[in-house]
């Protein structure tokens, strides 16, 4: 979270930059994207591709 | 539409409740308890049938009861309760108004109607397809429709949760990062979105197939996508009950996480990897390659297991640190001996942690290994494992949270207060027995979902060893304790919520808040608890673990040794299955 949106009246002492990992963890929608994309690709898409590739018995 | 901005501050805990959010939490919690009651009654029929000496139900009813037990417990009880947790961790912990309570109610009623419809289908008698409902085994269309309605309702609730996070951020009801407990709930909600979407992807076509619009559902694709739903929903539970552990450690001990960074990173590992472990359900399926199976189970799953071990250590570690600060510093374990074992919120949570880790965790890693899986595939070992995770772990954690919620959310005094301290032990220990003995029977080869292992009257009989019968009997006896414990829980909660003495607070009123933010509550007694669950502080780094929490460190070593031993014993056992002579 950037300092600009912290409530006024908060006594800021230091203007430390927020570490990138914390920025990621503070962003629920980015996390939501990761949490859907990773299993969709690695589990569902790769899994279904393997099933579809099975030759049909004649 | 006017926005309801009425809040109340709980005088006991200092927590801030938004009126519409509070009502939604109550409604969801009550629906959860009703499902638990139904599922519990059905469990009696299931268990007393599998206990061969009793063998209560005829086959049709056995499979009907088993189907309804699985659905009411695993799906309805747990998910209704989780919706209450999502509202609590967003609105209450962030001191924020709930976004769109009206939509929350629509979601709630969809879930209620869905649950009723699904139960209707099962009790008709033509839908005893188990909760897995593997195509091409078909159920009545209302079976799928009910599940779909329920799932979509739950999905909508998740979006109300996410919208509340947005409101809290824009109305600045908190500073910096959300509290750790809320972060755990975010993890649960993210996994829920993936879970429910997968459920829709597979259940909608299956529904269309059941009414005849589609003529074929590929059974392997069904199983693959179904488990993205069926297994990931267990991971919603894990994330939610871990969040509950942290909350209870904070509430009961004022414990602060040892390291916010480490705990949050562990939740992040859940978000990335936990759902992939769904592949462990398909380890014996043909068609999928070992590459896919081993990548998803072994590799990805171990990262998620690592995260669970982090939580399993930091929660007792933080309790140990808090207790040591209170002066319980003698020896390795004084902090644990002097813990409030008579407080059901604590004892339930601690039994949940131990049972989940030692019984559920270790067995889960064993059965998630492709080679070892075939020792126990489709045996009673599987229900044994998941009754340790989802019953001792999740259900008991939710029960212990209820003890905190009765005075705080429902504003009632606890009924049967003398019985409550016993409930977690009766239920938890009974259920640990059920899990262990089912696993024992499974190791001896007893199949799951099987009406009669005596094979009476069958042309090709098979004789299980006497020890297997003994295991089934011991599981039956333990389950009687578990039923009693479950009944105690329902008596206490239903009694307190509907008939308990109201807690009156003189001069109580709901306060309207500008911009959705309530003025910081200033109750007379300092609300030590809330500032801890709703706040966050950096703690000692995890590296200092063995110094600051030596007792927990020893427990961790005991855990690891049991883990490694059990794992290798199973490899040894595997080597004897088809000996080379
Ligand atoms: C008093 C408590 C309980 C007892 C004694 C009990 C006992 C059992 C038994 C004996 C089985 C049957 C295994 C088989 O024949 O395959 C079973 C299945 C199951 N139980 Fe429970 N259970 C209890 C509570 C719960 C709870 C709280 C949950 C979930 C939160 C749960 C979820 C399930 C599921 C998902 C199945 C599998 C159904 C299937 O194979 O389709 N149970 N239970
Ligand atoms: Cu699973």
């Amino acid at each position: 979270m950037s300092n600009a949106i912290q409530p006024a009246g908060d006594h800021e002492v230091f203007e430390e930059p927020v570490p990138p990992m914390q920025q990621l963890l503070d962003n629920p929608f980015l996390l939501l994207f990761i949490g859907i994309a990773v299993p969709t690709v690695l589990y569902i898409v790769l899994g279904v591709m393997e099933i579809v590739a099975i030759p049909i018995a004649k | 539409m006017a926005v309801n901005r009425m809040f109340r501050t709980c005088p006991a805990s200092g927590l801030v409740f938004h009126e519409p959010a509070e009502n939604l939490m109550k409604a969801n919690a009550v629906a959860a308890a009703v499902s638990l009651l139904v599922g519990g009654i059905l469990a009696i029929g299931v268990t007393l049938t599998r206990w061969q000496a009793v063998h209560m139900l005829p086959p049709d009813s056995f499979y009907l009861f088993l189907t309804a037990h699985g659905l009411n417990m695993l799906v309805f009880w747990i998910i209704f309760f989780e919706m209450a947790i999502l509202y609590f961790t967003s609105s209450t912990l962030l001191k924020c108004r709930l976004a769109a309570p009206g939509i929350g109610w629509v979601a709630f009623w969809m879930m209620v109607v869905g649950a009723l419809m699904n139960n209707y289908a099962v009790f008709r008698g033509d839908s005893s397809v188990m909760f897995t409902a593997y195509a091409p085994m078909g159920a009545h269309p209302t079976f799928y429709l009910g599940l779909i309605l329920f799932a979509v309702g739950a999905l909508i609730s998740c979006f109300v949760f996410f919208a509340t996070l947005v409101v809290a951020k824009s109305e600045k009801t908190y500073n910096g990062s959300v509290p750790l407990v809320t972060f755990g709930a975010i993890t649960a909600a993210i996994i829920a979105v993936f879970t429910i979407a997968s459920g829709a992807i597979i259940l909608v076509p299956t529904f269309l197939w059941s009414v005849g619009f589609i003529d074929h559902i590929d059974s392997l694709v069904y199983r693959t996508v179904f488990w993205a739903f069926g297994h990931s929903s267990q991971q919603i539970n894990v994330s939610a009950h871990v969040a509950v552990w942290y909350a209870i450690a904070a509430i009961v001990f004022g414990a602060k996480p040892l390291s916010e960074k480490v705990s949050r990173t562990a939740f992040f590992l859940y978000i990335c990897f936990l759902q992939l472990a769904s592949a462990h359900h398909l380890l014996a399926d043909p068609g999928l390659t070992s590459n896919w199976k081993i990548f998803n189970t072994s590799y990805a799953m171990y990262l998620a297991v690592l995260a669970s071990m982090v939580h399993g250590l930091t929660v007792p570690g933080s309790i140990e640190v808090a207790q040591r600060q209170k002066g319980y510093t003698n020896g390795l374990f004084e902090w644990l001996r002097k813990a409030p074992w008579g407080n059901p919120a604590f004892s339930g949570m601690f039994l949940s942690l131990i049972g989940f880790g030692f019984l559920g965790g270790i067995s889960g890693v064993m059965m998630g290994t492709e080679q070892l899986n075939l020792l126990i595939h489709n045996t009673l070992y599987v229900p044994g494992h998941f009754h340790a995770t989802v019953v001792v772990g999740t259900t008991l954690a939710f029960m212990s949270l209820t003890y905190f919620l009765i005075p705080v959310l429902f504003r009632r005094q606890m009924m049967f207060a003398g019985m409550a301290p016993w409930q977690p032990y009766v239920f938890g220990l009974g259920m640990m027995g059920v899990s262990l003995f089912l696993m024992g029977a499974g190791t001896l080869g007893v199949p799951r979902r099987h009406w009669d292992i005596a094979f009476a009257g069958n042309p090709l009989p098979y004789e299980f060893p006497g020890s297997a019968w003994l295991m089934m009997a011991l599981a039956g006896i333990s389950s009687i304790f578990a039923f009693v414990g479950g009944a105690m829980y329902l008596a206490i909660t239903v009694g307190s919520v509907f008939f308990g003495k109201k807690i009156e607070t003189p001069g109580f009123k709901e306060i309207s808040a500008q911009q959705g933010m309530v003025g910081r509550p200033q109750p007379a007694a300092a609300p030590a608890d809330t500032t801890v669950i709703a706040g966050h502080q950096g703690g000692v780094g995890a590296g200092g673990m063995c110094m600051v929490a030596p007792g927990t460190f020893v427990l961790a070593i005991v855990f690891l040794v049991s883990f490694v031993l059990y794992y290798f014993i199973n490899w040894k056992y595997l080597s004897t299955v088809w000996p080379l002579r």
Side-chain angles (χ1 to χ4, degrees):
Chain A
M1 188 202 256
S2 96
N3 291 322
I5 39 177
Q6 288 206 350
D10 226 36
H11 5 249
E12 271 298 319
V13 190
F14 264 123
E15 296 255 327
E16 264 187 81
V18 179
M21 188 63 190
Q22 192 178 339
Q23 287 183 16
L24 165 68
L25 295 183
D26 279 347
N27 186 338
F29 292 99
L30 189 52
L31 294 176
L32 178 63
F33 174 76
I34 296 175
I36 292 179
V38 172
T40 303
V41 173
L42 296 178
Y43 176 86
I44 296 189
V45 173
L46 291 183
V48 171
M49 273 167 56
E50 289 194 347
I51 297 171
V52 173
I54 302 172
I56 308 271
K58 298 210 182 70
Chain B
M1 194 172 62
V3 175
N4 178 336
R5 294 185 189 279
M6 300 305 271
F7 286 85
R8 75 171 172 86
T9 301
C10 167
S13 63
L15 289 171
V16 174
F17 286 96
H18 179 221
E19 197 182 27
E22 181 174 6
N23 293 332
L24 272 168
M25 285 175 221
K26 287 182 185 168
N28 279 285
V30 170
V34 173
S35 315
L36 182 66
L37 172 66
V38 176
I41 294 172
L42 294 160
I44 300 180
V46 171
T47 323
L48 296 188
T49 306
R50 295 239 44 182
W51 182 357
Q52 288 284 153
V54 183
H55 211 50
M56 188 170 98
L57 298 173
D60 302 15
S61 334
F62 170 73
Y63 291 111
L64 189 157
F65 273 48
L66 188 54
T67 305
H69 168 71
L71 285 160
N72 281 295
M73 290 300 207
L74 194 69
V75 184
F76 306 141
W77 141 250
I78 300 246
I79 296 189
F80 271 125
F81 201 94
E82 275 160 0
M83 295 304 126
I85 292 183
L86 288 188
Y87 295 135
F88 178 79
T89 50
S90 56
S91 167
T92 304
L93 293 188
L94 298 179
K95 301 187 174 64
C96 174
R97 70 181 169 86
L98 189 74
I103 296 182
W105 282 109
V106 172
F108 172 74
W109 286 112
M110 283 174 76
M111 291 168 70
V112 170
V113 172
L116 289 175
M117 197 186 269
N118 178 271
N119 269 295
Y120 160 79
V122 176
F123 282 99
R124 280 167 54 93
D126 61 359
S127 301
S128 300
V129 293
M130 313 289 114
F131 77 97
T132 41
Y134 290 139
M137 193 162 54
H140 192 260
T142 50
F143 179 95
Y144 307 105
L145 199 59
L147 272 185
I148 293 169
L149 262 182
F150 183 86
V152 174
L155 188 61
I156 296 175
S157 304
C158 292
F159 288 129
V160 172
F161 168 82
F162 282 111
T164 306
L165 297 181
V166 174
V167 172
K169 187 150 198 174
S170 71
E171 296 184 355
K172 301 189 180 67
T173 66
Y174 66 95
N175 284 331
S177 311
V178 297
L180 182 61
V181 175
T182 306
F183 192 73
I186 293 179
T187 307
I190 289 173
I191 299 180
V193 172
F194 171 77
T195 302
I196 297 166
S198 312
I201 292 175
I202 200 62
L203 287 173
V204 170
T206 311
F207 166 67
L208 295 176
W209 166 74
S210 73
V211 291
F213 288 148
I214 292 183
D215 57 21
H216 177 73
I217 298 281
D218 182 83
S219 63
L220 198 45
V221 171
Y222 179 94
R223 289 166 60 82
T224 307
V225 184
F226 173 83
W227 281 115
F229 165 73
H231 178 80
S232 305
S233 65
Q234 306 324 304
Q235 315 309 357
I236 315 175
N237 308 343
V238 174
S239 314
H241 79 227
V242 169
V244 169
W245 293 347
Y246 280 109
I248 288 181
I251 292 163
V252 176
F253 297 95
K256 303 182 187 83
L258 289 180
S259 160
E260 286 274 343
K261 211 196 276 176
V262 170
S263 298
R264 279 172 207 253
T265 308
F267 276 123
F268 181 61
L269 287 176
Y270 276 180
I271 294 176
C272 297
F273 299 113
L274 203 44
Q275 294 121 300
L276 302 180
S278 308
H280 64 205
H281 294 271
L282 306 167
L283 287 175
D285 278 50
L288 292 155
T289 63
S290 286
N291 293 341
W292 181 85
K293 290 176 183 171
I294 292 183
F295 174 80
N296 281 296
T297 55
S298 295
Y299 297 167
M301 192 180 83
Y302 293 162
L303 291 168
V305 168
L306 176 74
S308 288
M309 293 204 286
V310 167
H311 292 306
L313 288 181
T314 57
V315 172
S318 67
I319 293 176
E320 177 170 0
V321 170
Q323 287 282 77
R324 283 182 186 273
Q325 278 165 1
K326 289 184 196 126
Y328 299 118
T329 51
N330 288 328
L332 279 176
F333 291 115
E334 193 192 18
W335 62 276
L336 193 55
R337 276 202 314 278
K338 298 273 171 69
W341 293 101
N343 175 350
F346 166 74
S347 59
M349 169 262 170
F350 209 80
L351 287 176
S352 153
L353 192 141
I354 298 290
F356 179 77
F358 278 86
L359 296 180
I362 294 181
S363 60
V365 171
M366 190 288 265
M367 59 201 280
T369 307
E370 190 186 9
Q371 299 89 325
L372 298 180
N373 180 273
L374 57 87
L375 289 173
I376 49 76
H377 197 85
N378 271 350
T379 67
L380 269 178
Y381 191 95
V382 178
H385 155 77
F386 68 68
H387 282 75
T389 55
V390 88
V391 188
V392 183
T394 308
T395 301
L396 194 53
F398 289 179
M399 286 176 169
S400 55
L401 184 68
T402 322
Y403 293 115
F404 166 72
L405 291 179
I406 289 171
V408 168
L409 172 63
F410 290 95
R411 304 300 296 143
R412 300 281 183 157
Q413 278 177 10
M414 202 191 289
M415 292 254 279
F416 311 114
M419 182 166 87
W422 296 98
Q423 189 274 333
Y425 298 101
V426 179
F427 183 78
L429 298 177
M431 216 54 229
M432 286 185 195
V434 174
S435 302
L436 268 176
F437 295 126
L438 291 184
M439 286 195 238
T443 308
L444 297 167
V446 179
R448 70 184 288 199
R449 297 175 166 176
H450 198 293
W451 174 64
D452 182 21
I453 60 165
F455 296 95
N458 276 311
L460 294 173
Y462 176 82
E463 222 168 290
F464 281 98
S467 47
W469 289 61
L470 177 67
M471 289 291 166
M472 298 307 289
L474 290 172
I477 293 166
S478 317
S479 67
I480 292 173
F481 284 93
F483 297 140
V484 172
M488 286 161 81
Y489 169 77
L490 286 168
I492 295 166
T493 47
V494 176
S496 313
V497 168
F498 293 103
F499 311 107
K501 206 166 140 242
K502 277 216 171 81
I503 302 177
E504 302 289 353
T505 319
F508 170 79
K509 58 181 186 308
E510 304 219 49
I511 317 163
S512 164
Q514 281 307 311
Q515 282 301 311
M517 189 168 45
V518 211
R520 291 268 146 160
Q522 257 120 36
D529 336 324
T530 21
T531 38
V532 185
I533 2 180
H536 37 74
Q537 294 83 6
V540 291
M545 180 87 179
C546 57
M547 261 74 82
V548 294
T552 306
F553 188 72
V554 171
L555 286 180
I557 299 295
V558 172
F559 177 80
L560 281 177
V561 171
S562 342
F563 193 157
V564 170
L565 275 179
Y566 185 71
Y567 188 72
F568 283 105
I569 286 172
N570 276 288
W571 280 99
K572 177 81 183 63
Y573 179 36
L574 180 67
S575 73
T576 62
V577 174
W578 290 297
L580 294 174
R581 283 191 235 270

